[in-house]
């Protein structure tokens, strides 16, 4: 049996090694000390962007992601301003306001409370 002392992460350990086949190296080379690296600064987490519903020049708005409609905040014919919440879409247990891309009058609403919608599905139109 041969005794060895090793140091791992600054903690010293003693161990015994039994030679089984009868061959033993003449001397084990000493390992050079390893410098500890300074811990890296954590990277800044990217800010979560609000979901952006796709719309076109006519004011038609499609769902930015699949989910369930929790609320419909306006009725057809209502006057709205750009940025007003028109519907609330629940996706991945988060509520997302889907807003009017421009001011105008609500021309059509194609969803109701409780509807499941797919990404890209038409939701409403502003004119």
């Amino acid at each position: 049996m041969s005794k060895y002392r090793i140091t791992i992460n600054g903690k010293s350990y003693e161990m015994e090694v039994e030679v089984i086949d009868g061959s033993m190296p003449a001397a084990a080379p000493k390992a050079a000390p390893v410098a500890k690296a300074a811990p890296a600064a954590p990277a800044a987490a990217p800010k979560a962007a609000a979901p952006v519903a796709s719309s076109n020049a006519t004011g038609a708005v499609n769902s930015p992601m699949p989910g369930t409609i929790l609320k419909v905040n306006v009725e057809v014919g209502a006057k709205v301003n750009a940025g007003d919440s028109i519907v609330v879409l629940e996706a991945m247990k988060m509520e997302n306001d889907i807003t009017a891309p421009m001011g105008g009058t609500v021309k059509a609403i194609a969803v109701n409370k409780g509807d499941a919608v797919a990404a890209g599905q038409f939701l409403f139109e502003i004119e």
Side-chain angles (χ1 to χ4, degrees):
M1 289 263 216
S2 298
K3 274 189 165 182
Y4 293 95
R5 181 180 318 222
I6 61 171
T7 304
I8 300 174
N9 292 333
K11 188 169 182 177
S12 183
Y13 299 92
E14 284 189 23
M15 53 189 262
E16 290 184 16
V17 178
E18 180 180 357
V19 178
I20 295 176
D21 66 0
S23 65
M24 178 83 175
K30 287 193 173 187
V34 177
K36 291 184 180 178
K47 291 184 179 180
V52 178
S54 60
S55 63
N56 58 31
T58 65
V61 176
N62 299 323
S63 179
M65 65 190 83
T68 303
I69 302 298
L70 290 183
K71 296 178 195 170
V72 177
N73 295 324
V74 297
E75 295 179 0
V76 172
K79 300 271 189 220
V80 296
N81 296 314
D84 287 352
S85 175
I86 306 300
V87 297
V88 178
L89 173 70
E90 179 186 32
M92 297 178 283
K93 298 190 180 192
M94 293 182 62
E95 293 183 12
N96 302 283
D97 285 319
I98 308 301
T99 60
M102 61 188 191
T105 304
V106 177
K107 181 178 178 183
I109 298 177
V111 293
N112 295 302
K113 180 180 177 181
D115 287 355
V117 296
Q121 182 175 332
F122 173 74
L123 298 177
F124 59 89
E125 185 174 5
I126 307 293
E127 66 176 359

